[in-house]
Amino acid sequence: MKPDLHAEVNKNSAFLDRELSQLMFNRRVLAQAEDKSIPLLERLRYLCIASSNLDEFFEVRVASLLAAGSVEGSLSNHPALVATLSRISSECHALVTHQYEILNQEVLPQLAANGVHLVRHNERNEAQRAWVKEYFDTEVRPLLTPIGLDPAHPFPQVVNKSLNFIVSLSGKDAFGRGTAIAIVKAPRVLPRVIRLPDHLSKSGGVSFCLLSSIIHAHISDLFAGREVIAYSQFRVTRDSDLWVDEDEVKNLRQALKGELQGRQFGTSVRLEVAKNCPPELSQFLLDQFGLHQSRLYAVNGPVNLVRLTEIMDHVDNPALRFPPFYPGIAQKPGSPDIFAALREGDILLHHPYQSFQTVIDFIRSAALDPAVVAIKQTIYRTGMNSDLMESLILAARSGKEVTVIVELKARFDEEANINWADKLEQAGAQVVYGVVGLKTHAKVALVIRREDRKLRFYAHLGTGNYHPTTTKFYTDFGLLTCHPGISQEVNEVFIHLTSLTKPHRLVHLWLAPFALHNEIIKAIRNEARIARAGRPGRIIVKINALVDESVIRALYAASKDGVKIDLIVRGACMLKPGVPGLSENIKVRSIIGRFLEHSRIYYFRNDLAHDVMLASADWMSRNLFRRIEVAFPVLDKALKRRVLNEGLNPYLKDNINAWELEADGHYQRRKARGKQLPHSAQQHLMETLGMPGAHLGD
């Protein structure tokens, strides 16, 4: 019987295990890959997402735990940490096994039945083998550099998450020496999934081979005169956090440029090999990377599972994908331009159901408008190609005052942000990198326009990034406003970030790390006070993670006072719901659907004032104390109703994509019961907010 890892954690603890909770999120993503109602290529995508999530979990969470244990000697000095790592290892091994079972037993066979074939070497016919042989000889072999290990050829540097092969050889090399082990690195310039010519595919379908399979089939060709005894693909995962001493470096951008190269060779944290890898070869690799046996993962398939997303780029079969969705347009009809529309009232944007193009047009209009004198914006993630960034560059070249707060340490987006910082500076923009020691995670933009001899402020505040790609797949809210109080406070935030002076007291915005945590606690306690007075106390929160213990304690106290609390938490949640005497008035659910739930919404009933805050911050210590974050109010009553009716209520009714958290840390999928009609929040929002006549599906 599989041990209950959650039960192993201290039952008397008021909190669930953070790492296991994060891994439970991956379980829910894998459940999407098993869901037969979801199109096959989308199920494959969920498998790849789960694999990518696990990669990042090792690169960041496991790496940080191992680093914490090494600060004061060996891990043996930290029994609690050893126990945590043991639980993580057990759960991760189970997850990986399940992941490949879904791939091999469900997704790949069903794709083959629908004309999409991933052809292994032993499944190829003679014509296919001949084509693969020619491809290997002309495209692959010239780029390979096998390295026979000896004192003059030490074990090579292996890049993070790259595809490699270890080969065991018999006999002697060309110089009469018995070098027994060789390493072959797969060229990073080659695709990992190769499409076979159509005439070699079965009955009008499409066939693919993996690069790893092609190299496997012809690895003996690399060692003429030697017998290949055994071989295996392998991949090592490394610590990918960048570290620079911000108090010591003179130029953070230059320091990070150097660190980016080092990321590829950080401390090893996980080794993946093929399931049939001989024990002596896997042990040799573990020794080379300094890893314990528990961090070895022998997988039944390609070690770089994420690369199977390349299959989707080559398959043109709409039946295997979600139906296309076309977002609606939010700008008010009849307004000559975005600024005129905002003078009539605030605009609330709900992505991806409503187009992000409105935000791009807002910045583009500001860049082209001669009445605009200044643009200020924060950038956390924006991607390598961005019309929005090009508009900022255009504005700077046009002589406008452009100030951009670029967060250079946005994990895995550092290179893109450094490149944009270079381009912005060359165009004449003022670029700063936030505050030393704090990541700037707030999503705010400000346009200052001269109107009737006065300056008017127009602002955009969001829960998600200014990234044109992720806005098509992440759910987020954005608010465009020229409300004097809010927009001028946005300007105060920019002055604070550039001048490093203490921010003025803000009335509308909750700014971390100064006030956000205190305001959240105060709002929770206010609902508790209301409940103690015999009136209804109500809190609804939608966030990505809940792991800050002080906030959880405040929620527990409010629950004891009778406040009804609903939490919609996509990922890690350390709060135990439904515990008598502790949290019986708290319910927690997670929504996993077609889009990634990303919006942060805080709702407090507050004696029918119905306070609605949208925010960039989850309820994690890092967001509340170690980042620049902004929570902002929705003041317009009609827009408040929209947030409730689009961002909260549909998710509380969801009985298709909802998972309910139990007190023991496990999640149960919510299903329609009795006479209940099936309800998907995301499907409902696509139908109500999407472009009329768009094809919909969930």
Side-chain angles (χ1 to χ4, degrees):
M1 182 177 178
K2 183 178 178 291
D4 188 337
L5 297 177
H6 287 279
E8 294 177 18
V9 183
N10 184 2
K11 293 181 181 178
N12 297 320
S13 172
F15 308 104
L16 296 171
D17 182 277
R18 172 179 174 169
E19 274 65 45
L20 290 183
S21 183
Q22 184 62 41
L23 292 172
M24 286 298 103
F25 168 65
N26 239 30
R27 285 272 183 195
R28 299 193 292 280
V29 175
L30 276 181
Q32 295 292 102
E34 295 179 278
D35 190 337
K36 293 178 173 55
S37 69
I38 293 175
L40 276 171
L41 285 178
E42 306 297 345
R43 293 172 64 185
L44 177 62
R45 189 190 305 277
Y46 283 117
L47 265 181
C48 295
I49 290 171
S51 182
S52 176
N53 289 346
L54 206 55
D55 285 351
E56 185 171 343
F57 181 78
F58 275 94
E59 290 175 285
V60 180
R61 290 302 303 164
V62 174
S64 66
L65 291 172
L66 291 171
S70 65
V71 170
E72 300 178 7
S74 68
L75 278 173
S76 60
N77 298 328
H78 305 274
L81 183 55
V82 170
T84 296
L85 288 169
S86 177
R87 290 193 296 270
I88 289 172
S89 178
S90 296
E91 179 61 22
C92 286
H93 277 89
L95 271 171
V96 168
T97 298
H98 189 43
Q99 191 170 274
Y100 283 89
E101 287 174 350
I102 297 170
L103 176 71
N104 294 316
Q105 298 174 20
E106 297 187 39
V107 174
L108 289 183
Q110 291 176 40
L111 281 173
N114 283 270
V116 180
H117 306 275
L118 188 61
V119 189
R120 296 178 174 90
H121 175 65
N122 59 4
E123 299 169 340
R124 294 173 201 146
N125 58 37
E126 288 303 315
Q128 290 172 334
R129 291 189 179 193
W131 186 90
V132 167
K133 168 65 173 169
E134 182 180 1
Y135 182 87
F136 175 81
D137 288 338
T138 59
E139 298 292 334
V140 180
R141 181 171 181 170
L143 302 179
L144 297 178
T145 306
I147 300 174
L149 303 185
D150 68 7
H153 300 78
F155 194 90
Q157 284 273 49
V158 174
V159 171
N160 182 38
K161 297 186 297 185
S162 61
L163 176 63
N164 307 273
F165 300 85
I166 183 169
V167 185
S168 176
L169 302 167
S170 69
K172 298 184 181 297
D173 63 20
F175 303 95
R177 296 171 300 192
T179 51
I181 300 291
I183 301 296
V184 180
K185 296 182 179 182
R188 303 181 78 187
V189 297
L190 290 177
R192 268 37 183 177
V193 178
I194 295 94
R195 178 173 176 171
L196 297 177
D198 289 344
H199 70 275
L200 295 178
S201 294
K202 301 176 184 177
S203 60
V206 57
S207 297
F208 301 92
C209 290
L210 297 179
L211 178 64
S212 56
S213 174
I214 292 175
I215 295 177
H216 275 168
H218 300 283
I219 204 159
S220 297
D221 297 356
L222 302 173
F223 302 97
R226 306 288 299 275
E227 180 187 354
V228 173
I229 300 173
Y231 55 86
S232 173
Q233 56 180 312
F234 73 89
R235 187 176 79 139
V236 65
T237 307
R238 299 182 179 275
D239 182 345
S240 293
D241 248 0
L242 298 183
W243 185 88
V244 293
D245 188 340
E246 294 184 53
D247 293 320
E248 294 295 327
V249 299
K250 295 181 178 179
N251 187 314
L252 182 60
R253 187 173 70 197
Q254 292 302 322
L256 280 172
K257 280 184 177 180
E259 282 292 310
L260 277 172
Q261 294 301 318
R263 162 182 281 168
Q264 301 291 353
F265 305 104
T267 303
S268 304
V269 295
R270 175 182 60 168
L271 174 66
E272 295 164 282
V273 298
K275 185 178 181 180
N276 59 356
C277 179
E280 62 273 15
L281 291 186
S282 59
Q283 188 59 54
F284 177 83
L285 290 170
L286 288 170
D287 293 341
Q288 291 296 321
F289 295 120
L291 290 172
H292 186 267
Q293 183 74 26
S294 63
R295 288 193 270 285
L296 173 67
Y297 291 77
V299 302
N300 188 18
V303 293
N304 48 350
L305 193 58
V306 177
R307 293 301 192 97
L308 293 184
T309 54
E310 296 175 26
I311 290 176
M312 302 173 203
D313 298 331
H314 297 283
V315 177
D316 184 21
N317 184 346
L320 301 182
R321 301 177 185 272
F322 285 132
F325 170 69
Y326 305 99
I329 304 298
Q331 187 167 336
K332 296 184 177 182
S335 300
D337 59 58
I338 187 68
F339 303 113
L342 289 174
R343 289 192 293 273
E344 295 176 9
D346 295 351
I347 296 175
L348 181 71
L349 303 169
H350 194 179
H351 312 300
Y353 312 108
Q354 293 175 309
S355 175
F356 187 71
Q357 188 63 41
T358 303
V359 180
I360 296 174
D361 291 346
F362 173 63
I363 300 298
R364 183 72 175 177
S365 297
L368 297 173
D369 188 342
V372 169
V373 295
I375 305 173
K376 304 180 182 183
Q377 186 163 352
T378 62
I379 293 297
Y380 191 76
R381 301 189 194 280
T382 192
M384 299 297 285
N385 301 301
S386 171
D387 290 341
L388 191 149
M389 298 299 285
E390 294 292 351
S391 292
L392 292 175
I393 290 171
L394 173 64
R397 287 175 176 163
S398 301
K400 301 184 190 300
E401 294 296 323
V402 176
T403 302
V404 186
I405 315 293
V406 179
E407 179 48 66
L408 295 183
K409 295 194 297 177
R411 188 179 292 123
F412 306 123
D413 277 82
E414 298 94 345
E415 185 176 1
N417 288 2
I418 287 171
N419 290 339
W420 283 119
D422 286 338
K423 292 179 180 179
L424 285 162
E425 282 193 343
Q426 291 170 12
Q430 177 66 55
V431 179
V432 295
Y433 311 127
V435 180
V436 169
L438 302 174
K439 283 187 178 180
T440 301
H441 192 246
K443 292 70 162 91
V444 290
L446 184 71
V447 171
I448 303 176
R449 193 169 186 266
R450 189 174 296 282
E451 299 175 4
D452 300 325
R453 300 183 180 180
K454 294 181 180 179
L455 295 180
R456 185 189 284 264
F457 297 72
Y458 297 84
H460 174 267
L461 306 95
T463 68
N465 297 303
Y466 292 108
H467 196 302
T469 299
T470 60
T471 55
K472 298 175 183 177
F473 306 106
Y474 289 19
T475 70
D476 275 302
F477 276 99
L479 181 70
L480 283 163
T481 182
C482 63
H483 182 281
I486 293 176
S487 58
Q488 289 178 24
E489 287 188 8
V490 170
N491 193 43
E492 288 296 323
V493 171
F494 278 107
I495 292 172
H496 158 63
L497 292 176
T498 56
S499 69
L500 304 181
T501 55
K502 187 176 181 179
H504 291 172
R505 182 178 180 276
L506 304 177
V507 175
H508 298 285
L509 305 185
W510 297 355
L511 178 65
F514 301 99
L516 179 56
H517 176 263
N518 288 339
E519 293 290 348
I520 290 170
I521 298 295
K522 184 170 28 172
I524 294 171
R525 289 175 176 170
N526 182 59
E527 293 301 315
R529 177 187 60 79
I530 291 170
R532 288 195 301 271
R535 302 190 301 278
R538 185 78 169 106
I539 298 172
I540 311 175
V541 174
K542 184 173 183 289
I543 47 180
N544 301 324
L546 173 55
V547 299
D548 182 79
E549 293 184 4
S550 63
V551 173
I552 294 173
R553 288 192 183 97
L555 291 168
Y556 285 157
S559 173
K560 291 177 184 178
D561 286 329
V563 179
K564 185 180 179 183
I565 303 170
D566 277 293
L567 305 173
I568 306 164
V569 185
R570 185 195 77 213
C573 178
M574 290 173 57
L575 181 145
K576 289 183 173 181
V579 178
L582 179 69
S583 58
E584 63 263 42
N585 289 312
I586 304 178
K587 294 180 180 179
V588 179
R589 58 172 42 204
S590 172
I591 305 293
I592 309 294
R594 173 173 178 169
F595 304 122
L596 180 76
E597 294 298 334
H598 193 257
S599 55
R600 290 95 167 188
I601 309 168
Y602 317 155
Y603 167 76
F604 305 96
R605 186 174 182 272
N606 192 16
D607 275 341
L608 296 179
H610 300 299
D611 296 334
V612 174
M613 302 292 292
L614 302 176
S616 61
D618 295 310
W619 286 3
M620 307 173 70
S621 298
R622 73 180 189 189
N623 297 95
L624 302 177
F625 301 110
R626 299 191 297 277
R627 288 186 174 185
I628 304 295
E629 304 273 12
V630 169
F632 54 97
V634 179
L635 301 177
D636 182 276
K637 289 183 179 180
L639 298 187
K640 278 187 184 183
R641 285 194 295 271
R642 272 194 59 199
V643 174
L644 291 172
N645 292 332
E646 295 174 18
L648 297 177
N649 292 336
Y651 291 93
L652 296 179
K653 297 175 183 176
D654 196 308
N655 54 23
I656 293 178
N657 296 320
W659 296 75
E660 294 182 340
L661 175 61
E662 299 176 339
D664 63 1
H666 293 92
Y667 284 79
Q668 293 295 328
R669 192 159 200 168
R670 181 68 190 269
K671 297 179 180 178
R673 298 168 185 166
K675 296 182 179 180
Q676 286 182 338
L677 295 175
H679 175 78
S680 162
Q682 293 188 359
Q683 181 70 26
H684 166 73
L685 293 169
M686 285 192 289
E687 291 171 355
T688 55
L689 296 178
M691 188 75 72
H695 297 289
L696 302 174
D698 195 8

